[in-house]
Amino acid sequence: MPRTERPLEDGDSPELRLAAALRQLRQKAGSPTYRTLSQRSHYSVTTLSHAAAGRSLPSLPVTLAYVLACDGVVEEWERLWHTTAAEVAARDAPEERDSPCGTPVGAPYPGLAAFQLEDGERFFGREQMTNALVRSLSTRRLVAVFGASGSGKSSLLRAGLLPRLYAEAEPGAVVFLTPGPRPLEECAVTLAGRLGATAGALHAELADDPANLHRLVRQLLAERPAAAEAVLVVDQFEEVFTLCPSEEERALFITALCLAAQAPNSRCRVVLGVRADFYAHCTHYAELVAALADSQIVLGPMTGEQLRQAIVQPAARAGLSVEAPLVASLIAECHGRPGVLPLLSHALLETWHRRRGNALTLAGHQAAGGVEGALARTAESFYTSLTPARQQLARQLFLRLTALGEGTEDTKRRLLRGELDLDKDTAAVLEQAAGARLLTVDDLHTEITHEALIRCWPRLHQWLTEDRESLRRHRRLTEATLLWDSLDEDPDALYRGGRLAMVKEFLVEPPLSGTLSARERAFLDASLAAEEDTERHTALQTRRLRRLVALLTAMALLATGAAAYALHVQREVTQQRNDVLSRNVVTEASLLRDTQPALYARLMTAAYRLSPTAEARDGLLDAAATALPGHVRGVSAVAFDPSGRGLATGGDTVRLWNVPPSGPPLKAGEAVGGGPVASMAFSPNGRTLAVGGFRHRTQLWDVSDRRHPAPVATLAGHTDVVFAVAFSPDGRTLATGSYDHTVRLWDLTTRSRPVVRAVLTGHRLNVKAVAFSHDGRYLATGGDDRTVQLWDVTRPGTPVRSAVLTGHRHFVTSLAFGPGSRTLVSGSDDHTVRLWDVSDPRRPAVLPVLTGHTEVVISVSLSSDGRLLASGGYDGVARLWDVTDPRRPRPAGVLSGSGGALNEVVLSPDGGTLVTGSEESDTRLWSTNPKEALSRICARNPTPLTRTQWDRYFPDVVHSPSCPADRR
């Protein structure tokens, strides 16, 4: 028999009134048990019973889940919750500053926190932007607000836009959310209460088909007037890039938003708040680019008058005055500065604490530390008020709450409460930081109140810069631990090998070991235990193999007739042992690659000679690679001339190299063009080099004398980046593909005076790849519209499209034809390489899809005989494939030591050398033949392994020279 519910305490607080109303609703629903309510709402029994206990105000999602489980009217209860929350806030607002870290809720300024819906009456200075946003939303179905961190995007959406929407829209038709690490799940939870459905069911529907968001919005409005529309406001949209680890869920969420806004019968309008430095991330999604073409609101710094309104009006509404010198000083400090608004608001809040009577004074502002100093002083006051032990906890907490930028500024990271060890001290630190408004805490999450704290608190900035690589490793460890937890501690999700070796320091170094949570320590302990089990198993297997060899040897002495069989078995056992040793040496030696390259190379040669496993082969090819002097801004394009004796590398300039039959290439000359290089190609006779760039033009260079390249002509006409160039086999036509969505065919009969023959307009988005077939009859083009298009260019002046190849799920980045023009290879942003049979160009057939890359495949290249294929991507890996039979391709090598994302991979005509260009200003030459790689290593590294080194890595193996010189 279930226990009866504890009676409510005596009193008339807002929390008790809301709890009593919830209990009355449950009685009207037939008094279902809390276990039944839990099954209906997917919240725990404890959470639901606590919501009706009256001891604290439950969160809005919990309240609506309780109401929905009891068949209540969601819209009425949502309004009741907001009213109750306002009463609680007004009651709890202290009249005076209680401590250096306390902040009154009733102050006229919010400090670091964004203005909220209930703050609309004291939100000033952005009226013009609010009106512009409302006007834009009335004519466009999807609008994005871009602005720097701290420019007031969240306040504009919450306190500017939302009150206008709630005043005009149907009740419940305004949906507000922030994406977090699971944007589809967040969307489902937000909609569930309004639709009378479970969050789990809605999440499954959205994951199955993103168009279901459009259908759910129509369902939400089914009982409303025909003209009614829903508005979906997504604040901090950049979280889909910084917090969401799944590219698939990110793409589904973006597609769902675009479909909901742009479907022919759409009843939804979408508003996105996006940090400006994530604009480039948005351009990676074609549907979002199309939707934002003319639907952007840019939030810049406030004007002087707008700043004056934001300073003076909230104080006036609270019955306060602001000294004129203070207003002038604040406007002078903040005018024209992006991202300064949270600092201004916090400085005003601290000045309010130091007010004289009803007046905010310049002296009080100066005492608070000014605009920059007020926030740093608040943070330091909070930190210094802690004990040394709690100071260490605060450091760990703020580091966990920061997402390290990759080419962007560091951002805040929303933290699940389960990621923390909530002991007494940690809870106290959280409470004090939240009291100082440095952190925002709710039932499930903790986050930094505003990213301005990351920029302006010197101590936090110092923590973040002391050892960013350790922080990145720790963050990856945290993500791995969460994955391990989500998979019910699946042993296959544990760290092993090199990844485990890199994080062992967290267990042995006291400063690092103290940063781990209990779950992270458990994850590492489980990983170490699994590794020890593996080592014990390997040792046991080795001992068994040794005993077997000894037994077989004894049997050979006893029976002459069994000698041949015993010898055969011994060889198999020895080979098995050699295979294991070879793989183990490759794994151990990988840690020496950057610190002891000579020893690494020797170990790779010895491991390969002992047993030529795939791992040893890849390590050998890596050790034999040769690096060329780097470009200033990275290597963005590489090209071999048809003979294979000339090489061009492009970045900030174009460098030309002579490639001798043996030894590294020698620099011959340099061409300085009109900007960064995006693409390059040699003419069939090797005398002309075409260079496409980011300044919308293609340059032709005479490279007959590579020591003195000379400009020949400049091809103008494109209106955006020329990302791809290719010569026809006869050298008379040049194809150029551009981000202006077109391909141009140029007549080079007179090389110094090129003429446009035709402009191909078949692509809807950027063109990123062009390639001629070997017979010159067909041109393949590929781009961001995810298609590959084949064109009959037998008559270059009147090209005809033969076919459109579809199948890639993302941008097509690179193309290459095989010999005989029967096979076409395409690389894509969807991490795959596709093979196509184009024997009949009007009816191409799909061949196998090559997988293995974990990031964008940016380049593909085929050897002249069509037997070897190379692919390279942003994962920093070049992969080799044997495509002698295109219907049955086989892996032929994995080259992963280049450092940084690859921009280009090119095979020499004979397929014996691969050249890679990367973002790290690095060009590398790799031998694709292990025997040739072995010769190169032995030639440049004659020092053999010492006996100690051999015994360390190859125990119980007779010493064998890995190079001819070792025999001397």
Side-chain angles (χ1 to χ4, degrees):
M1 180 176 180
R3 293 181 300 173
T4 58
E5 193 167 19
R6 177 180 296 178
L8 290 173
E9 299 175 359
D10 294 335
D12 190 34
S13 68
E15 296 95 332
L16 288 172
R17 291 199 298 272
L18 179 65
L22 288 173
R23 293 189 178 195
Q24 186 176 4
L25 176 64
R26 178 175 167 230
Q27 290 175 358
K28 289 181 179 179
S31 299
T33 65
Y34 275 107
R35 186 174 300 277
T36 300
L37 294 183
S38 176
Q39 293 172 350
R40 295 177 183 175
S41 65
H42 298 281
Y43 279 89
S44 68
V45 171
T46 302
T47 300
L48 294 173
S49 62
H50 182 74
R55 290 188 289 274
S56 62
L57 181 65
S59 67
L60 179 58
V62 171
T63 303
L64 296 183
Y66 191 110
V67 170
L68 184 62
C70 295
D71 298 322
V73 181
V74 171
E75 290 82 359
E76 295 178 1
W77 282 89
E78 186 174 359
R79 287 193 292 270
L80 176 61
W81 184 91
H82 281 294
T83 301
T84 305
E87 293 178 10
V88 171
R91 181 200 64 196
D92 293 344
E95 305 220 348
E96 294 296 334
R97 181 183 180 120
D98 298 325
S99 70
C101 295
T103 304
V105 177
Y109 308 99
L112 288 180
F115 283 89
Q116 301 298 322
L117 172 64
E118 58 270 19
D119 299 321
E121 293 186 354
R122 57 173 179 157
F123 180 62
F124 292 94
R126 288 296 193 187
E127 291 82 0
Q128 292 180 354
M129 295 304 299
T130 301
N131 293 334
L133 178 56
V134 172
R135 285 196 302 272
S136 181
L137 191 59
S138 67
T139 59
R140 296 171 177 83
R141 307 209 68 85
L142 189 150
V143 180
V145 179
F146 289 95
S149 174
S151 60
K153 299 182 300 300
S154 294
S155 296
L156 176 68
L157 297 180
R158 296 167 188 252
L161 178 63
L162 286 185
R164 296 278 291 271
L165 295 179
Y166 280 122
E168 300 171 4
E170 288 285 324
V174 178
V175 180
F176 184 90
L177 61 94
T178 53
R182 300 290 300 277
L184 283 181
E185 181 178 284
E186 193 70 28
C187 189
V189 170
T190 306
L191 288 173
R194 291 169 169 79
L195 291 170
T198 63
L202 293 190
H203 180 260
E205 291 182 19
L206 292 175
D208 180 62
D209 183 0
N212 281 328
L213 178 59
H214 159 64
R215 301 182 183 106
L216 292 173
V217 171
R218 294 193 64 195
Q219 179 182 342
L220 176 67
L221 301 174
E223 303 298 327
R224 315 288 172 91
E229 291 189 320
V231 182
L232 179 57
V233 183
V234 184
D235 190 20
Q236 299 177 30
F237 183 72
E238 63 273 6
E239 288 184 354
V240 302
F241 306 112
T242 61
L243 299 183
C244 179
S246 169
E247 169 59 29
E248 180 181 4
E249 180 165 1
R250 183 182 306 127
L252 286 173
F253 181 64
I254 292 173
T255 301
L257 294 177
C258 293
L259 290 176
Q262 297 181 319
N265 55 348
S266 170
R267 298 183 68 184
C268 177
R269 297 181 187 268
V270 176
V271 182
L272 307 179
V274 194
R275 254 181 49 180
D277 52 334
F278 284 88
Y279 183 88
H281 292 68
C282 295
T283 63
H284 293 169
Y285 301 87
E287 60 267 48
L288 190 56
V289 171
L292 295 179
D294 60 347
S295 305
Q296 303 175 23
I297 299 289
V298 179
L299 198 61
M302 281 186 171
T303 65
E305 177 58 25
Q306 290 171 338
L307 287 169
R308 192 187 72 78
Q309 293 290 327
I311 295 167
V312 173
Q313 289 300 328
R317 284 191 172 271
L320 304 171
S321 63
V322 185
E323 279 187 351
L326 174 59
V327 176
S329 175
L330 289 171
I331 293 176
E333 283 189 78
C334 300
H335 186 264
R337 293 178 58 187
V340 77
L341 296 184
L343 302 181
L344 171 64
S345 183
H346 182 77
L348 284 167
L349 179 63
E350 292 301 308
T351 304
W352 179 82
H353 286 311
R354 296 165 175 82
R355 64 191 181 278
R356 187 172 64 238
N358 287 333
L360 276 67
T361 65
L362 178 61
H365 172 64
Q366 293 170 340
V371 171
E372 294 283 354
L375 177 55
R377 179 171 296 183
T378 298
E380 277 300 303
S381 297
F382 151 74
Y383 182 77
T384 55
S385 68
L386 302 173
T387 64
R390 290 184 177 180
Q391 286 179 349
Q392 185 62 28
L393 290 175
R395 169 176 176 156
Q396 298 168 17
L397 177 63
F398 279 93
L399 289 178
R400 283 183 181 272
L401 289 168
T402 305
L404 300 179
E406 298 289 347
T408 60
E409 292 183 359
D410 296 339
T411 59
K412 63 181 182 178
R413 171 177 176 257
R414 191 181 305 172
L415 192 70
L416 286 169
R417 297 293 291 274
E419 188 176 323
L420 297 173
D421 297 332
L422 284 179
D423 53 23
K424 177 181 178 182
D425 286 337
T426 302
V429 171
L430 274 175
E431 182 178 354
Q432 285 187 251
R437 287 197 175 179
L438 301 176
L439 300 183
T440 300
V441 181
D442 60 24
D443 293 347
L444 301 176
H445 302 95
T446 302
E447 64 180 334
I448 292 175
T449 302
H450 201 282
E451 288 161 355
L453 180 65
I454 301 174
R455 300 194 306 269
C456 295
W457 187 13
R459 186 183 298 275
L460 177 56
H461 188 268
Q462 178 184 356
W463 291 340
L464 291 169
T465 55
E466 281 179 353
D467 190 353
R468 293 180 72 84
E469 184 55 35
S470 290
L471 290 176
R472 286 192 174 93
R473 290 204 299 268
H474 187 193
R475 192 58 37 78
R476 289 193 290 268
L477 172 63
T478 300
E479 293 169 355
T481 301
L482 294 174
L483 176 63
W484 180 61
D485 271 336
S486 69
L487 297 176
D488 296 327
E489 300 185 0
D490 185 349
D492 289 338
L494 294 171
Y495 271 176
R496 301 180 188 277
R499 289 193 303 172
L500 180 58
M502 292 181 65
V503 298
K504 281 183 178 179
E505 60 190 81
F506 283 102
L507 291 178
V508 298
E509 296 187 19
L512 295 176
S513 59
T515 66
L516 300 181
S517 67
R519 290 304 296 158
E520 289 166 352
R521 283 192 293 271
F523 173 78
L524 274 183
D525 289 341
S527 298
L528 288 171
E531 184 183 50
E532 291 174 359
D533 288 343
T534 301
E535 290 176 350
R536 283 195 295 269
H537 178 73
T538 302
L540 178 61
Q541 188 177 28
T542 301
R543 286 196 297 272
R544 288 175 177 174
L545 289 174
R546 290 174 180 171
R547 291 168 183 170
L548 180 58
V549 171
L551 178 60
L552 292 173
T553 303
M555 290 176 63
L557 296 174
L558 295 174
T560 303
Y565 175 76
L567 181 60
H568 171 71
V569 171
Q570 184 177 12
R571 286 175 178 172
E572 284 192 346
V573 171
T574 302
Q575 185 60 50
Q576 291 176 5
R577 179 205 61 182
N578 291 349
D579 291 347
V580 172
L581 278 178
S582 178
R583 293 190 179 97
N584 288 344
V585 169
V586 172
T587 300
E588 293 185 50
S590 62
L591 301 176
L592 305 174
R593 183 185 179 279
D594 296 325
T595 57
Q596 301 182 59
L599 177 57
Y600 170 75
R602 276 296 184 170
L603 289 173
M604 291 302 100
T605 60
Y608 183 81
R609 282 190 173 273
L610 180 65
S611 181
T613 62
E615 294 84 352
R617 175 201 61 202
D618 294 344
L620 182 69
L621 298 181
D622 176 37
T626 300
L628 300 184
H631 288 265
V632 175
R633 296 185 181 90
V635 179
S636 52
V638 179
F640 263 113
D641 74 3
S643 69
R645 296 191 294 272
L647 176 68
T649 60
D652 48 317
T653 61
V654 176
R655 297 186 179 184
L656 299 174
W657 308 80
N658 290 323
V659 183
S662 61
L666 303 174
K667 184 178 177 183
E670 187 165 6
V672 180
V677 175
S679 53
M680 292 191 305
F682 277 96
S683 63
N685 61 12
R687 297 176 56 193
T688 305
L689 178 67
V691 180
F694 288 89
R695 298 204 176 164
H696 313 172
R697 298 184 178 185
T698 303
Q699 295 177 310
L700 299 182
W701 292 80
D702 185 337
V703 291
S704 303
D705 182 355
R706 286 192 282 271
R707 294 173 299 174
H708 305 290
V712 176
T714 298
L715 284 59
H718 284 295
T719 60
D720 208 329
V721 176
V722 180
F723 201 79
V725 294
F727 282 94
S728 63
D730 61 7
R732 295 179 181 177
T733 304
L734 177 70
T736 58
S738 170
Y739 275 20
D740 64 8
H741 309 175
T742 69
V743 177
R744 290 177 176 257
L745 300 180
W746 305 82
D747 185 345
L748 302 184
T749 304
T750 304
R751 187 175 61 166
S752 60
R753 291 191 298 277
V755 178
V756 176
R757 285 184 170 180
V759 178
L760 310 184
T761 58
H763 288 279
R764 295 181 294 102
L765 298 172
N766 303 337
V767 178
K768 287 186 172 174
V770 294
F772 279 97
S773 62
H774 283 231
D775 58 10
R777 295 181 56 194
Y778 292 93
L779 173 71
T781 63
D784 288 359
D785 59 4
R786 307 179 184 181
T787 68
V788 178
Q789 302 187 14
L790 286 179
W791 303 81
D792 186 340
V793 291
T794 307
R795 298 178 179 177
T798 56
V800 178
R801 183 162 56 189
S802 300
V804 177
L805 285 63
T806 60
H808 281 297
R809 294 182 291 104
H810 220 302
F811 304 160
V812 177
T813 58
S814 52
L815 296 167
F817 268 102
S821 306
R822 299 174 60 87
T823 304
L824 178 65
V825 181
S826 60
S828 169
D829 275 26
D830 63 12
H831 309 173
T832 69
V833 177
R834 284 180 174 262
L835 303 180
W836 312 84
D837 184 347
V838 291
S839 303
D840 183 352
R842 292 172 299 180
R843 289 183 292 275
V846 179
L847 294 176
V849 178
L850 307 182
T851 60
H853 286 283
T854 59
E855 286 290 349
V856 172
V857 177
I858 194 62
S859 180
V860 295
S861 177
L862 277 167
S863 60
S864 58
D865 61 5
R867 294 176 177 271
L868 187 64
L869 167 66
S871 60
Y874 285 172
D875 55 5
V877 174
R879 291 181 175 270
L880 300 176
W881 311 85
D882 183 345
V883 290
T884 305
D885 181 357
R887 298 182 181 278
R888 297 177 181 83
R890 296 183 293 108
V894 179
L895 311 178
S896 56
S898 61
L902 298 184
N903 291 325
E904 187 88 34
V905 295
V906 176
L907 284 166
S908 60
D910 64 1
T913 301
L914 175 70
V915 180
T916 61
S918 76
E919 290 184 351
E920 303 295 336
S921 305
D922 192 12
T923 305
R924 282 180 175 257
L925 279 77
W926 314 72
S927 174
T928 61
N929 186 325
K931 293 183 179 179
E932 177 61 25
L934 192 63
S935 299
R936 290 185 183 181
I937 293 176
C938 291
R940 70 189 185 198
N941 183 23
T943 304
L945 291 173
T946 65
R947 176 66 66 177
T948 301
Q949 290 170 334
W950 181 272
D951 293 340
R952 162 69 176 82
Y953 291 97
F954 303 95
D956 301 322
V957 177
V958 177
H959 183 271
S960 175
S962 53
C963 291
D966 295 354
R967 296 183 174 91
R968 294 197 290 268

